Amino acid sequence: QVQLVESGGGLVQAGGSLRLSCAASGRTFSNYAMGWFRLAPGKEREFVAAISRSGSKSYYADSVKGRFTISRVNVKNTVYLQMNSLKPVDTALYYCAASDSLNIATMYQSWAYWGQGTQVTVSS
């Protein structure tokens, strides 16, 4: 089992930037694809971005493409989400997730391991 701890959330003005981090422990980090999801009030958990085990492939929701960048440093057991040009609609609780599946899915039900989340609030 892998444990995940997110950090880096906070309050930022529209147009600003934040970088989220997710530290993993418990198993070999490079055996897992990593993803970020978010949950806003009144909405379902939404896929944001994912990255393959090696970091060679990344995937993004259309709503964040061109603004957010996912990356990972396997020797540090850490995945990042750089968020630029933030908008009020990006306000949500952001979760880190891990999957040992060979296929990266955008459905949250396909991800086995989750962190506790970090709050991102974007003011207008």
Side-chain angles (χ1 to χ4, degrees):
Q1 188 165 345
V2 61
Q3 291 80 42
L4 304 172
V5 179
E6 304 96 334
S7 61
L11 173 64
V12 64
Q13 288 188 332
S17 298
L18 281 175
R19 188 176 82 155
L20 305 183
S21 300
C22 173
S25 62
R27 291 289 177 93
T28 303
F29 183 64
S30 57
N31 286 346
Y32 296 87
M34 299 299 297
W36 288 95
F37 290 75
R38 64 187 181 187
L39 181 62
K43 295 187 177 181
E44 289 194 352
R45 195 169 301 199
E46 176 189 25
F47 170 79
V48 176
I51 191 166
S52 62
R53 299 177 183 195
S54 66
S56 62
K57 296 182 179 180
S58 56
Y59 310 84
Y60 297 93
D62 288 342
S63 58
V64 307
K65 204 171 291 184
R67 299 188 298 124
F68 291 11
T69 302
I70 189 171
S71 62
R72 65 189 296 164
V73 180
N74 284 350
V75 295
K76 293 186 176 181
N77 292 351
T78 303
V79 62
Y80 304 96
L81 185 68
Q82 178 67 43
M83 305 186 295
N84 298 330
S85 302
L86 282 161
K87 306 174 182 179
V89 295
D90 295 318
T91 295
L93 187 60
Y94 282 73
Y95 293 92
C96 174
S99 171
D100 57 6
S101 172
L102 292 177
N103 298 313
I104 291 180
T106 59
M107 295 174 59
Y108 71 87
Q109 295 92 334
S110 298
W111 294 74
Y113 306 103
W114 293 86
Q116 294 300 307
T118 185
Q119 179 67 39
V120 171
T121 303
V122 184
S123 63
S124 58

